[in-house]
Amino acid sequence: MKTTTLTKIMAAACAMTFAVGLTACGSDTPAPPPPPSSDAPPATSTGNTGSSAMGAWDKNGDGIIVVGFAQTGSESGWRTANTQSFKDYFIPANGFDLKFGDANGDDATQKAQVRDFISQGAEVIVIQPLSNDGWEPVLKEAKDAGIPVINSDRRLQGLDQYYEFFFGSDMRGEGDRAVAWLEGYIAANNLSNSDIKIIHLQGQMGSDAQAGRTEGLEAGVQKNGWTILKQQTGEFARDKGQAAMAAILSSVQPTDFTVVWGENDDMVYGAIDAMTAVGLDPKDYIVISFDGNKSAVQMVKDGIIDAIAECNPLLGEQVGKLILRASQGEKIPSPTFSQEEVIDSTNVDAKLPIAFGS
């Protein structure tokens, strides 16, 4: 049982520090309580209508809205599933012609692709930004060209005046839900907050996902007196997550940490690879991830990952339907968040059959 082994690790840590008067070790108790869930606010209608069957954003009046979609890249299973959801929904049968741009993880490339969409006469542009930096000039160009912009997935902070609405995940909310889960786990297993020593693998620095999930963790650390032992970016990629974890493990002892917090599933896969390479069993630690790939959900089922703060990648249809409503003059609340929760042992059997990816 994970908590039994974790207690042994904490006991060993206590034994090593006893000579200097440090004591704080937990004991083995039942599994944690169910995680909290979040509700997405509903969009409301103004009752206005556009100028054509497809609405005012169908500038050509041909019943098809040309959409430029600026994607970050294909750095993870989440991103691959996200891209496919847009390609599957943004088709002529649903009233769309999709122009797709893959930035391949390069911020300058993504901005250049958005400018290409503007010059090619896109009628709507959907941006899933790599970071929050340097977007104002590009967004102003789109606005001056009369092209509505939709911000999806990662929120562009402080630039609301340049886009119609944001739809995606509440990244800070995800971090807060993961913190709440860990608080529940600690209480249910009679652990001490001083036992919580965290290795924190961050995502791509400056992205909304990284910032929100980090803010949630750091707020939880401040509130509860936990310790972030090491903090390093793995840029949301498995290989870089593995490299970051390997570097960290070269400078810490197995009893120095009790929690691995990785800001997406792919980095957690890499962290697990690095741990097993040096003879550490991830089941001996509390492992927290984000997203909810099928492989990661299976790891929850297998007791390797303890909790995943869910982040639904299948945004294409939801964004497409919101665009159609906005084109008809409806005011879409911004931000509007998708509904998500935490996946753990209490609900994994229901989540596994519907998890995305492989």
Side-chain angles (χ1 to χ4, degrees), residues 62-79:
D62 58 2
I64 298 291
I65 297 177
V66 180
V67 177
F69 175 38
Q71 178 62 283
T72 66
S74 54
E75 72 280 0
S76 65
W78 190 99
R79 191 64 54 189

Side-chain angles (χ1 to χ4, degrees), residues 74-129:
S74 54
E75 72 280 0
S76 65
W78 190 99
R79 191 64 54 189
T80 300
N82 175 253
T83 293
Q84 194 60 49
S85 75
F86 276 82
K87 290 182 176 180
D88 288 345
Y89 188 77
F90 281 74
I91 59 176
N94 292 326
F96 296 104
D97 176 14
L98 184 67
K99 308 298 182 185
F100 177 69
D102 183 339
N104 197 29
D106 184 77
D107 196 61
T109 296
Q110 188 172 48
K111 291 179 175 65
Q113 287 171 343
V114 171
R115 288 189 163 105
D116 284 343
F117 294 148
I118 294 171
S119 65
Q120 292 169 13
E123 294 171 308
V124 177
I125 296 174
V126 178
I127 301 174
Q128 298 195 163

